[in-house]
Amino acid sequence: MAKETTGYIFEDKKGRLWARFTYTNELTGKRHSVKRRAENRTEGREVIKKLIRELEDDGPRAIQADRLLFGAIAENYKETKLIDAVYSGERKIAGLRSPSYKSHIKPLIEHFGRKGIKHITATDIQKYKLIRLDKDSRRGGKISIATINRELALLRVIFNYARSEMWVNRSPFEAKGFTLISMADEEKRDRILSLAEEKRLLAACQGTRSIGYERKGKKIAAEIKYNFFYLKALIIAAVDTAMRKGELLKLVWRDVDFENREIVIRAMNTKIQTRRMVGMTSRVRDSLESLWRIGPPDPNAIVFGISDFKRSFETVCDIAIVDSLRFHDLRHTSTTRMVAAGMPIAEVMKITGYLQMTTFLRYVNQTTDITRKHASALEAYLDLEADRLEKKDIRL
């Protein structure tokens, strides 16, 4: 806290009024002077009172932050927090495993970068949200509300970081009367893979495709052979275990127990940093055993041996005539099938790695089989109750 605080109002050569505030930092012993424009002397006195109050409540750093731009704070956060994950054993102690936030911070800096961080309001954030909704995405079409929510979630984190560093004393996300991040506005994705589509998809991982192309003005027909052996095993594992894409791609052979038909998913590879185990169906075990036989006999080797498969997945979906399917939809499919099979919800949540029921229910999609099952169960219950009442009436 400062040892001495003084303030006064002065007029410069151009006739403009300034409120000047002077204080001595007790930690460094240095004297600092801060000035702010004022429309009149009354406003100038209020500015000085405000500066003294901020100094007493939040310390010298809050005073200095008056001129800090959002861009400088965001870049500082990016350099210190948006770094590659650092592990101690299986636990992440710093950094991020996913680089997605690095892309989310770019539009924030472009929009708010030259604005003082203490002067960004909830209204400013609401305007940013509307501007982003009108922008086109890289894939065509408008940017989704889900993407904007991720950007705003990062913006909220940056403001919390600024608070912890004493650069601001409150966040615009705390303003009353504003709902800046609304998960309810996001369009829920309910795409799941049907059994017929799954059959075509797996068949498309190995076969021949006819193509046509033009060379020197002549149309030529040809056939191409393809073999996505690893991709087929990935799809089977995703559909039968509900493992996430990142969990599958980081899986190593020492975590695959063929004898007990179990897969260990280490904490450092999971989204919630919690170790869990999943069972292997017969086809998962068979497909993984086939991979083990053709690969190097190294227990520390990556099971699927690939880092990404976006294009090959799109190719087999095209060949199989399976539209609008993302790889993450296979996790939705697996979770839905587990529930439809009658597995207890608590067990399904444990296997799939969900901690919150609200999150879990977002990934349980309604299917024809589930609706028929529920209708049949209700029908059986009503018939049973009707019989019970009928017997009761007869006795009476």
Side-chain angles (χ1 to χ4, degrees):
M1 185 181 293
K3 292 181 179 179
E4 177 186 356
T5 58
T6 59
Y8 59 93
I9 300 164
F10 71 96
E11 185 177 325
D12 64 14
K13 294 179 180 180
K14 295 182 179 181
R16 297 176 301 185
L17 287 178
W18 293 85
R20 173 166 282 173
F21 169 70
T22 306
Y23 67 94
T24 302
N25 191 319
E26 68 174 5
L27 296 177
T28 64
K30 293 182 179 180
R31 194 168 180 79
H32 300 273
S33 180
V34 181
K35 65 177 184 178
R36 300 285 187 269
R37 279 289 306 276
E39 292 296 324
N40 50 57
R41 293 186 177 275
T42 300
E43 182 184 332
R45 285 190 288 270
E46 290 300 318
V47 169
I48 292 172
K49 290 179 182 178
K50 176 176 177 292
L51 290 171
I52 293 175
R53 188 163 57 248
E54 285 187 357
L55 178 67
E56 292 174 346
D57 292 343
D58 304 316
R61 205 165 188 179
I63 302 296
Q64 298 161 8
D66 264 5
R67 298 297 176 88
L68 277 177
L69 300 181
F70 173 83
I73 304 295
E75 289 292 347
N76 182 278
Y77 179 82
K78 183 178 177 181
E79 293 174 5
T80 57
K81 301 296 183 179
L82 298 186
I83 58 176
D84 292 336
V86 179
Y87 294 95
S88 175
E90 289 191 23
R91 305 298 298 178
K92 182 174 71 68
I93 57 175
L96 298 171
R97 288 171 297 175
S98 171
S100 61
Y101 277 121
K102 294 181 181 179
S103 63
H104 293 329
I105 202 171
K106 184 179 178 181
L108 295 174
I109 294 176
E110 289 176 351
H111 185 86
F112 294 111
R114 298 184 63 80
K115 191 174 182 67
I117 191 167
K118 294 185 73 173
H119 305 296
I120 296 175
T121 65
T123 301
D124 294 329
I125 297 174
Q126 193 75 276
K127 289 178 180 178
Y128 168 82
K129 187 175 181 179
L130 295 175
I131 290 171
R132 289 291 285 163
L133 280 171
D134 197 45
K135 293 284 185 180
D136 293 330
S137 68
R138 290 178 298 175
R139 297 179 179 178
K142 299 300 181 182
I143 295 176
S144 69
I145 188 64
T147 297
I148 297 170
N149 276 345
R150 303 303 169 268
E151 294 170 3
L152 295 182
L154 177 58
L155 181 61
R156 181 171 56 189
V157 170
I158 293 173
F159 269 101
N160 290 339
Y161 169 71
R163 285 189 64 179
S164 68
E165 296 294 320
M166 304 298 290
W167 285 316
V168 296
N169 53 22
R170 68 185 300 275
S171 167
F173 286 89
E174 300 171 6
K176 294 182 179 180
F178 288 86
T179 304
L180 298 176
I181 302 176
S182 176
M183 302 300 291
D185 292 337
E186 294 185 15
E187 183 179 349
K188 180 187 175 185
R189 186 169 177 82
D190 57 2
R191 178 70 164 96
I192 65 170
L193 190 69
S194 70
L195 292 174
E197 287 177 323
E198 179 189 320
K199 185 177 180 179
R200 297 201 306 270
L201 196 63
L202 295 178
C205 289
Q206 186 171 342
T208 303
R209 185 186 187 194
S210 297
I211 62 170
Y213 60 95
E214 191 171 304
R215 179 181 293 173
K216 295 182 180 180
K218 293 183 179 181
K219 291 184 178 180
I220 300 172
E223 287 189 341
I224 57 170
K225 291 184 178 181
Y226 48 87
N227 189 342
F228 298 122
F229 191 63
Y230 280 85
L231 182 58
K232 182 177 181 179
L234 262 170
I235 292 172
I236 291 173
V239 169
D240 285 8
T241 68
M243 290 175 66
R244 297 179 178 89
K245 178 182 176 181
E247 296 168 348
L248 289 165
L249 293 181
K250 294 174 184 176
L251 184 65
V252 295
W253 285 115
R254 70 173 182 273
D255 295 329
V256 179
D257 185 348
F258 288 117
E259 184 177 349
N260 294 313
R261 296 175 62 161
E262 288 181 333
I263 294 174
V264 176
I265 308 172
R266 298 188 178 273
M268 63 187 296
N269 295 332
T270 67
K271 186 176 181 179
I272 58 175
Q273 299 188 61
T274 302
R275 183 179 183 271
R276 72 179 197 275
M277 300 175 71
V278 296
M280 288 189 281
T281 60
S282 296
R283 64 175 183 167
V284 170
R285 183 187 60 184
D286 292 344
S287 61
L288 293 186
E289 284 181 339
S290 297
L291 293 183
W292 172 253
R293 285 194 295 268
I294 66 174
D298 180 4
N300 294 313
I302 298 294
V303 170
F304 296 100
I306 53 179
S307 58
D308 199 7
F309 50 89
K310 181 178 179 180
R311 289 188 178 181
S312 56
F313 185 71
E314 290 175 350
T315 299
V316 296
C317 286
D318 180 40
I319 294 168
I321 318 177
V322 176
D323 300 323
S324 305
L325 183 73
R326 300 175 187 172
F327 189 81
H328 193 69
D329 295 332
L330 303 184
R331 177 169 164 83
H332 296 212
T333 301
S334 182
T335 306
T336 301
R337 289 180 181 180
M338 290 180 189
V339 173
M343 292 178 61
I345 296 297
E347 291 183 13
V348 177
M349 289 180 67
K350 194 171 185 66
I351 290 169
T352 54
Y354 292 109
L355 292 180
Q356 302 294 330
M357 178 63 75
T358 52
T359 307
F360 170 76
L361 292 177
R362 287 176 58 200
Y363 286 86
V364 178
N365 299 106
Q366 194 173 24
T367 66
T368 302
D369 289 340
I370 290 178
T371 54
R372 286 177 179 172
K373 183 179 179 180
H374 289 176
S376 297
L378 179 60
E379 192 174 54
Y381 167 77
L382 293 175
D383 288 343
L384 184 66
E385 286 297 296
D387 289 343
R388 185 179 67 80
L389 289 174
E390 184 177 349
K391 290 176 181 179
K392 184 178 179 181
D393 290 339
I394 291 173
R395 286 196 299 270
L396 292 175

